[in-house]
Amino acid sequence: MRRPPGNGEAASEGRGSWGLWGRQEARRLDCTGHDHCSQALLQIGINMMALPGGRHLDSIPLPGQRLHLMQVDSVQRWMEDLKLMTECECMCVLQAKPISLEEDAQSDLILAGGPGPGDPLQLLLKRGWVISTELRRIGQKLAQDRWARVHSMSVRLTCHARSMVSEYSAVSRSSSQEMGQVGCLGMGRGGGPTLRLLSPRCLQVENEHVLKSMKACVSETLSTLGQHFGQLLELALTREVQALVRKINASDNIYTTESTTGNLFSLTQEGAPLCRIIAKEGGVVALFKVCRQDSFRCLYPQALRTLASICCVEEGVHQLEKVDGVLCLADILTDDSHPEATRAEAAAVVAQVTSPHLPFTQHLGSFLESMEEIVTALIKLCQEASSGEVFLLASAALANITFFDTMACEMLLQLNAIRVLLEACSDKQRVDTPYTRDQIVTILANMSVLEQCASDIIQENGVQLIMGMLSEKPRSGTPAEVAACERVQQKAAVTLARLSRDPEVAREAVRLSCMSRLIELCRSPSERNSSDAVLVACLAALRRLAGVCPEGLQDSDFQQLVQPRLVDSFLLCSNMEESFV
């Protein structure tokens, strides 16, 4: 199930600029350069490591050729019979194969089964990953003074760069002066010595001072190549994005627009750098143009999903505000004639642009003008949601809005949001994961600062629900789900502490044995997954409840968890070790 960015987890903020050899690598190689570290490009490579296998080069003769082969050559006869004894021959080869000490000797990067015709973007991304990974590996070998490997990898790097130019030119059916420069990646500045000519010389040098100076020269050349390649790759990708945006703007055919928008969405999944390029080249404007045409109503979900991905970067949010994107989102959310899927995708965009983890979204001034309409529509979407994903997207948007502006909590209180959210918790079809409960308890925690909230919580049996959230457990044990459960426990304790200002809420919490659960979370690291954030929140809630009902605590619990300073109790509980004997 999709988890939108928001209060629980950092949004998909970018992985760096396109420069491939910036300050981070320069520090390791004792060279300087601009901060163009290409973590995003390496991540692109990770996503593409499952490349198609190479072709089988040994041809299998046709039945009619068998007699001819038997009369020609014994080696060819052996090759013909090899398929009948493959297992035995493979064992012989494996037993005779030497074990290399070179960790990467068997891991040379091969780009087999490349993209088909008309797919220049995927070709660029794959070749870009190969070249950037080669650059990183050369830097590692250079730092270890393994000059033989540096030389062989430099030759291979040059081959990959030239292949990139020729293949891209053939597929895109165009030539570019900028892309032509990629073929000169092996050259230094001003046509100086190439990397593959510098590296073998170091094999023949024994003087340490001379070798050190030559190493610095190679490092500088390598750094320059990385920066130059990053800039050229960005130029090439920009050209392809421009072509896609022009196609969307010029098309009035629904199938062409659907295909092009799908290609644009695929690019957004490659990381923040490509999202920035798309935003700068008018992708946000083109997508909102689609969302404002009735003839493209069936494409709204796909366009909105792409917009949500682009708005993970500052440039995307700025472009959204320039084209009155918030007003368009409000119109879609408040229009009941749109299918639920369309309104859910609009809620996902709202969740993205109001994420508290993105500092630039806090300056989205146009959102306040439409906030009441959007909040009302989101509550209605939560109430009518037909699936867990729709409810998750709508509740995530509401949770982020409560961080965005304090007036949102008052609006939610007037719209009976507490009743809607607490009723949904008993509906497994809508609330079925810790990620969804994370959004609900976030809204409750932010609303609990209002004094009127306590009476609504009591009326809807909300304290019992919060008690249940203190026992949230992961089902799969994946890191993401475990982290979501920790957030649910922490925010449930925070909500309980805030609501316990009201004596009626505190007495109800004590009646439901909340104090014993809080003590268990404090004393048992496994119950809170050793989370310090959960521990602090539980200690605070326990102290608030103890102030109202101190008789519910044993003397040892009071002396260790309530009476000392909060920091002392925290240190005591965080240093506890469980016995598994």
Side-chain angles (χ1 to χ4, degrees):
M1 176 175 291
R2 181 163 49 151
R3 286 180 287 116
N7 55 83
E9 298 176 272
S12 53
E13 176 50 29
R15 303 177 177 91
S17 61
W18 281 106
L20 296 180
W21 208 260
R23 194 170 301 159
Q24 182 177 358
E25 295 293 347
R27 201 160 39 234
R28 178 166 51 218
L29 303 177
D30 297 325
C31 63
T32 58
H34 300 291
D35 187 9
H36 292 293
C37 180
S38 179
Q39 295 298 325
L41 198 53
L42 293 180
Q43 184 63 36
I44 292 173
I46 293 173
N47 294 337
M48 299 181 203
M49 290 190 69
L51 301 179
R55 296 173 182 159
H56 185 22
L57 299 180
D58 296 328
S59 59
I60 303 298
L62 297 173
Q65 299 172 319
R66 180 177 176 84
L67 181 60
H68 174 70
L69 281 175
M70 292 176 63
Q71 298 173 349
V72 174
D73 190 287
S74 60
V75 175
Q76 293 187 12
R77 171 67 184 275
W78 172 79
M79 292 177 65
E80 169 65 11
D81 294 338
L82 181 60
K83 59 184 179 182
L84 303 178
M85 47 184 174
T86 303
E87 183 176 355
C88 178
E89 293 297 332
C90 285
M91 290 302 297
C92 292
V93 172
L94 287 173
Q95 290 174 3
K97 195 173 186 64
I99 299 177
S100 174
L101 297 178
E102 291 282 355
E103 295 178 358
D104 57 345
Q106 316 302 328
S107 59
D108 292 344
L109 299 172
I110 300 174
L111 191 66
D119 195 9
L121 272 172
Q122 290 302 317
L123 177 64
L124 275 173
L125 293 173
K126 288 184 178 182
R127 281 291 182 189
W129 169 71
V130 170
I131 293 175
S132 62
T133 305
E134 288 285 4
L135 283 168
R136 177 178 58 83
R137 289 184 174 183
I138 293 174
Q140 293 173 348
K141 303 307 175 188
L142 181 62
Q144 300 169 3
D145 295 328
R146 298 169 66 177
W147 294 103
R149 291 295 297 164
V150 169
H151 176 56
S152 62
M153 295 171 73
S154 299
V155 174
R156 191 164 63 241
L157 172 68
T158 304
C159 294
H160 281 305
R162 290 175 178 172
S163 297
M164 177 178 178
V165 175
S166 61
E167 291 173 357
Y168 176 73
S169 300
V171 173
S172 63
R173 298 179 181 178
S174 64
S175 59
S176 169
Q177 181 179 0
E178 293 86 356
M179 280 302 297
Q181 298 176 24
V182 178
C184 302
L185 272 177
M187 299 297 295
R189 290 177 177 173
T194 65
L195 184 62
R196 63 175 182 172
L197 291 180
L198 279 173
S199 53
R201 295 177 187 173
C202 298
L203 290 170
Q204 306 170 0
V205 176
E206 297 181 358
N207 189 303
E208 293 185 2
H209 296 288
V210 176
L211 187 62
K212 185 176 181 180
S213 62
M214 294 187 70
K215 182 177 179 179
C217 182
V218 174
S219 298
E220 183 179 358
T221 302
L222 194 60
S223 177
T224 303
L225 296 184
Q227 296 173 16
H228 187 54
F229 170 72
Q231 295 168 1
L232 294 178
L233 182 60
E234 182 175 353
L235 284 173
L237 290 171
T238 299
R239 288 183 55 200
E240 297 301 325
V241 169
Q242 288 172 345
L244 288 176
V245 172
R246 284 196 302 268
K247 199 171 182 180
I248 293 177
N249 285 326
S251 174
D252 57 358
N253 182 283
I254 189 170
Y255 301 106
T256 302
T257 305
E258 180 181 16
S259 174
T260 310
T261 304
N263 291 337
L264 211 58
F265 174 74
S266 298
L267 287 180
T268 63
Q269 304 308 295
E270 301 296 346
L274 268 170
C275 290
R276 291 190 179 94
I277 293 176
I278 295 172
K280 290 178 181 178
E281 298 305 324
V284 174
V285 179
L287 291 169
F288 270 113
K289 180 181 176 182
V290 171
C291 292
R292 288 187 168 103
Q293 297 184 50
D294 287 340
S295 58
F296 289 152
R297 286 174 74 95
C298 62
L299 301 183
Y300 285 8
Q302 186 180 48
L304 291 167
R305 192 178 304 118
T306 308
L307 281 167
S309 298
I310 300 174
C311 289
C312 72
V313 297
E314 186 172 2
E315 293 82 356
V317 176
H318 288 168
Q319 290 296 318
L320 178 142
E321 190 165 23
K322 284 183 180 180
V323 297
D324 290 330
V326 174
L327 182 60
C328 180
L329 295 173
D331 290 341
I332 293 175
L333 283 169
T334 55
D335 188 351
D336 291 337
S337 66
H338 286 295
E340 182 185 67
T342 301
R343 288 178 286 144
E345 294 297 343
V349 182
V350 173
Q352 179 65 74
V353 301
T354 55
S355 172
H357 291 283
L358 301 179
F360 47 84
T361 61
Q362 298 300 321
H363 305 290
L364 196 64
S366 60
F367 185 81
L368 295 176
E369 301 174 4
S370 305
M371 186 170 68
E372 186 172 359
E373 295 178 358
I374 292 175
V375 169
T376 304
L378 289 173
I379 280 293
K380 183 178 180 181
L381 187 58
C382 286
Q383 193 169 13
E384 300 175 352
S386 62
S387 66
E389 183 174 4
V390 172
F391 186 91
L392 173 62
L393 294 174
S395 60
L398 285 173
N400 288 353
I401 292 173
T402 59
F403 286 105
F404 190 81
D405 191 272
T406 54
M407 289 192 304
C409 294
E410 298 178 1
M411 294 179 185
L412 289 171
L413 196 62
Q414 296 173 0
L415 293 169
N416 295 322
I418 292 178
R419 177 180 57 80
V420 173
L421 295 174
L422 296 183
E423 285 180 355
C425 288
S426 59
D427 184 359
K428 297 300 181 183
Q429 186 175 358
R430 288 185 291 170
V431 181
D432 57 347
T433 67
Y435 308 113
T436 308
R437 282 184 282 274
D438 180 21
Q439 309 306 325
I440 293 175
V441 73
T442 299
I443 300 172
L444 295 177
N446 288 337
M447 291 183 66
S448 62
V449 299
L450 303 175
E451 294 183 1
Q452 308 95 305
C453 181
S455 59
D456 288 0
I457 290 285
I458 289 290
Q459 186 176 353
E460 300 295 336
N461 296 322
V463 178
Q464 186 172 2
L465 173 67
I466 295 172
M467 172 68 180
M469 289 181 174
L470 289 173
S471 302
E472 188 74 27
K473 294 288 185 182
R475 297 178 184 176
S476 64
T478 60
E481 188 172 358
V482 170
C485 291
E486 291 177 15
R487 293 193 300 270
V488 171
Q489 288 181 331
Q490 177 197 5
K491 293 171 185 177
V494 170
T495 305
L496 190 60
R498 291 176 177 176
L499 291 174
S500 295
R501 296 189 309 266
D502 188 314
E504 187 177 357
V505 174
R507 286 191 292 269
E508 178 68 11
V510 172
R511 186 184 69 82
L512 293 172
S513 303
C514 282
M515 294 182 74
S516 60
R517 177 56 183 163
L518 291 171
I519 292 171
E520 185 179 16
L521 287 168
C522 292
R523 292 193 175 278
S524 177
S526 62
E527 288 295 317
R528 62 175 189 273
N529 196 39
S530 300
S531 170
D532 290 342
V534 176
L535 174 58
V536 171
C538 290
L539 285 171
L542 185 63
R543 289 165 180 247
R544 182 63 63 87
L545 291 176
V548 178
C549 303
E551 62 277 5
L553 287 173
Q554 297 181 2
D555 291 340
S556 60
D557 294 329
F558 182 82
Q559 293 174 4
Q560 294 177 355
L561 305 179
V562 176
Q563 191 175 35
R565 295 182 307 164
L566 181 61
V567 64
D568 294 332
S569 297
F570 170 79
L571 292 174
L572 174 66
C573 295
S574 60
N575 292 327
M576 285 183 178
E577 294 184 1
E578 291 183 284
S579 174
F580 296 96
V581 178

